[in-house]
Amino acid sequence: MGEVLALVEARLRTALGEPDARAAVTFLGTDRIEVLRFSGGDVVRYATLGMSAHPMADPTAALADPVKGPRAELLLSVRAGVADTDKVLRPLAVLASTPQVEGVVVASGASLDVGEPLWPGAPFTSVLVAEPGGLVEDLELDEPMDPVRFLPLLPMTSNEAAWKRVHGAQALEERWLTSGTDLRDPLRRSVRLD
């Protein structure tokens, strides 16, 4: 477990630089989840560290494999200085503990909801899990372990989350793209969905 997390942190540092802050959260019955903050220019990036310590297990499986299975960490990028986004640390840790607590596999296209604003004044309580491989490359681990994927999170308003449930993740991403939505704006309004 510790070796995997050391490799994950090294990959994050290579891709994003040195973290300028870190916080740790532990929930009853789960391993510790850390959230690292990387500040640079006009964007602040938050990355979880700890979710990939164990493979995510299929909730329908009779027994969880302790070695094989998907592994991931979460990434969130927002514009700096616009909102008090550092309060996102606990909600990110909650999302990263979802595989341990709820026994779900977090993958691209999924919606995750914390049930409260991601940070003070945020119009978002949920996120869309985007495709990995952009900002931070997958981390290959020794066989038979699966690689660690770094999954970007795209904050969604409640209207967008409801629309996504009906039309799918790809349709929502296309709406954002055609509308020129700045998904890093921590105070943005919902995209037009009519």
Side-chain angles (χ1 to χ4, degrees):
M1 175 179 124
E3 183 180 323
V4 169
L5 295 184
L7 293 170
V8 168
E9 185 167 355
R11 175 58 54 94
L12 288 168
R13 288 173 186 265
T14 300
L16 305 175
E18 286 298 310
D20 62 351
R22 67 191 310 148
V25 179
T26 305
F27 303 101
L28 187 63
T30 67
D31 293 331
R32 183 170 94 159
I33 301 287
E34 289 189 83
V35 180
L36 310 181
R37 183 182 71 191
F38 300 87
S39 300
D42 65 341
V43 175
V44 179
R45 300 185 198 287
Y46 301 93
T48 63
L49 180 62
M51 183 176 168
S52 62
H54 304 286
M56 293 181 275
D58 181 342
T60 62
L63 195 60
D65 190 315
V67 178
K68 293 177 77 173
R71 295 174 188 256
E73 295 291 352
L74 306 176
L75 297 169
L76 175 69
S77 300
V78 292
R79 298 238 171 268
V82 179
D84 186 11
T85 56
D86 279 350
K87 299 284 197 266
V88 77
L89 300 177
R90 185 168 176 75
L92 274 180
V94 168
L95 296 177
S97 68
T98 302
Q100 288 183 60
V101 174
E102 297 180 21
V104 298
V105 175
V106 176
S108 55
S111 299
L112 302 173
D113 196 316
V114 292
E116 61 184 42
L118 293 175
W119 51 82
F124 321 106
T125 63
S126 63
V127 293
L128 174 65
V129 181
E131 290 289 331
L135 188 61
V136 181
E137 287 183 32
D138 293 349
L139 173 64
E140 296 294 331
L141 300 174
D142 292 336
E143 291 288 339
M145 292 188 284
D146 289 20
V148 176
R149 306 212 185 283
F150 297 89
L151 302 170
L153 301 179
L154 307 175
M156 294 187 292
T157 65
S158 57
N159 286 345
E160 290 168 340
W163 197 84
K164 181 253 175 197
R165 281 191 292 276
V166 173
H167 300 281
Q170 185 175 356
L172 179 58
E173 290 187 66
E174 287 171 9
R175 275 294 164 113
W176 283 336
L177 189 61
T178 57
S179 299
T181 305
D182 180 2
L183 295 173
R184 293 180 178 168
D185 180 353
L187 299 174
R188 74 171 180 83
R189 296 177 188 264
S190 182
V191 70
R192 285 192 60 176
L193 299 169
D194 50 4

